Amino acid sequence: MRRGTSQRMEEGTMGTEKARWLHISDLHILLNSPSWKVFQGNLFRFFEEHPEQKPDFVVVTGDYRNIQKFESFELAERFIRELLEHLELSGENLYLVPGNHDMSTLQKDGTIKPRYALELKKLLPDGMTPGKCPPDAEIANWLSKCETEPADYIDRLCSVNRGSEESDTGVFIPTLLYGFQSYENMAKSLIPWYSGNGWNPAGPHNRKWEGAEGLCFNVVHLNTALAADGSRGHYQALDLSKTLEAFQGINNGKPTLVLAHNSFYDLHPQIQEYLKEAMGKAR
């Protein structure tokens, strides 16, 4: 289901200090769209009329283009640059994560590229094809099995090998991340922090936001669209091993914001349990 563009102002506190951030999601920008032009105009006008409401930083949580097929990120990048300029903020105050529309894995005939299909298929029940919505009964059976027997799904996702020989059932995460290369290019163009530090904007990682008077947040970026194939919303995956590493590296006692495109409850139940523990330790 296509979700409309949304935006909201949020605040966080540390002691007597406050930070305000603008959270936008699901841009789904269409060229010459009247609704988009109205949204952009109203957003900019709001901050002109209420300068005291200007945020300290901006968060955008995915779906920068309307569909996966061959649409560029140029319109989204232009809008975000104009927004930052309007708010008098630099790219260091911008935080992005990708959505399911930001994965470039489709061919011109609408099918998923073979190497991505191979990896996605490892996370699907036997007989299910990436990109094709299965019958409700198959989905129900799969969801039930994931609830009662979660280990196999997690083992495949994390390339866990229980035998003495190499297994071909483990998911190769770099292949799935390669599908976000166009998104990565946009993120690196907008945010100087990524240049030269080796972090992949499409992978799990932690950045800090620091304001005046010692105000600081850890900002964990998650890619919950890693296994999005366009045909299902249930039991999405992320790079669980790297995600847990990102949380484990947080030991400064500061509050942590977690950014993701999907709802927490879209994720596989076992992934939810791992994240609950990790997020609790990271405040």
Side-chain angles (χ1 to χ4, degrees):
M1 180 175 69
R2 181 190 167 197
R3 292 164 287 181
T5 305
S6 63
Q7 62 90 14
R8 62 173 183 253
M9 294 294 296
E10 299 165 329
E11 287 188 347
T13 63
M14 285 182 62
T16 59
E17 300 301 323
K18 288 187 177 182
R20 179 183 287 110
W21 61 90
L22 172 66
H23 177 192
I24 303 177
S25 191
D26 295 78
L27 300 180
H28 291 282
I29 300 179
L30 288 170
L31 185 64
N32 297 324
S33 167
S35 62
W36 173 256
K37 293 181 183 298
V38 169
F39 167 78
Q40 182 174 348
N42 288 342
L43 181 64
F44 286 15
R45 186 160 49 251
F46 172 82
F47 289 116
E48 288 174 358
E49 296 173 354
H50 304 279
E52 75 284 356
Q53 294 291 324
K54 284 187 176 181
D56 298 295
F57 60 95
V58 174
V59 170
V60 190
T61 51
D63 283 359
Y64 302 86
R65 54 188 185 171
N66 190 53
I67 57 175
Q68 287 182 332
K69 291 183 181 179
F70 323 120
E71 289 185 1
S72 76
F73 290 85
E74 181 181 351
L75 295 177
E77 181 173 344
R78 184 188 310 161
F79 161 70
I80 293 171
R81 286 191 187 281
E82 291 175 1
L83 176 62
L84 291 178
E85 182 177 353
H86 201 77
L87 298 174
E88 300 179 299
L89 293 174
S90 69
E92 299 292 352
N93 298 294
L94 174 66
Y95 298 83
L96 309 176
V97 292
N100 54 294
H101 284 245
D102 305 319
M103 194 176 188
S104 303
T105 61
L106 297 180
Q107 303 181 114
K108 292 192 175 181
D109 61 359
T111 61
I112 296 177
K113 295 176 181 178
R115 62 176 178 168
Y116 297 107
L118 177 64
E119 299 304 317
L120 289 173
K121 194 169 177 60
K122 295 174 183 176
L123 293 172
L124 296 173
D126 292 340
M128 284 178 61
T129 302
K132 294 184 179 180
C133 192
D136 290 343
E138 288 187 21
I139 293 179
N141 289 337
W142 178 47
L143 298 183
S144 176
K145 185 175 181 180
C146 283
E147 289 273 14
T148 58
E149 304 174 37
D152 182 60
Y153 184 96
I154 300 300
D155 286 356
R156 288 169 181 254
L157 179 62
C158 298
S159 297
V160 173
N161 183 7
R162 297 182 180 276
S164 58
E165 298 180 0
E166 290 188 11
S167 171
D168 61 356
T169 60
V171 174
F172 189 57
I173 298 291
T175 293
L176 297 179
L177 283 177
Y178 190 76
F180 293 90
Q181 193 169 48
S182 295
Y183 162 79
E184 292 174 34
N185 293 337
M186 178 188 72
K188 289 178 178 178
S189 175
L190 288 167
I191 303 172
W193 183 86
Y194 289 112
S195 299
N197 67 13
W199 287 104
N200 184 338
H205 59 281
N206 176 38
R207 286 173 59 202
K208 290 188 182 72
W209 177 83
E210 296 181 280
E213 304 298 330
L215 186 59
C216 175
F217 292 97
N218 304 298
V219 185
V220 174
H221 301 59
L222 301 183
N223 182 350
T224 57
L226 196 64
D229 68 347
S231 68
R232 60 197 171 93
H234 295 294
Y235 291 6
Q236 293 297 333
L238 45 72
D239 187 341
L240 187 56
S241 296
K242 296 290 186 183
T243 295
L244 296 180
E245 287 179 12
F247 280 112
Q248 289 166 359
I250 297 174
N251 54 15
N252 57 11
K254 304 297 185 182
T256 300
L257 305 180
V258 183
L259 310 184
H261 177 70
N262 291 76
S263 161
F264 178 79
Y265 300 101
D266 288 340
L267 296 168
H268 186 282
Q270 188 64 50
I271 293 177
Q272 293 180 31
E273 292 304 313
Y274 282 121
L275 290 183
K276 285 177 185 177
E277 180 178 1
M279 289 191 292
K281 293 179 179 178
R283 298 188 67 195

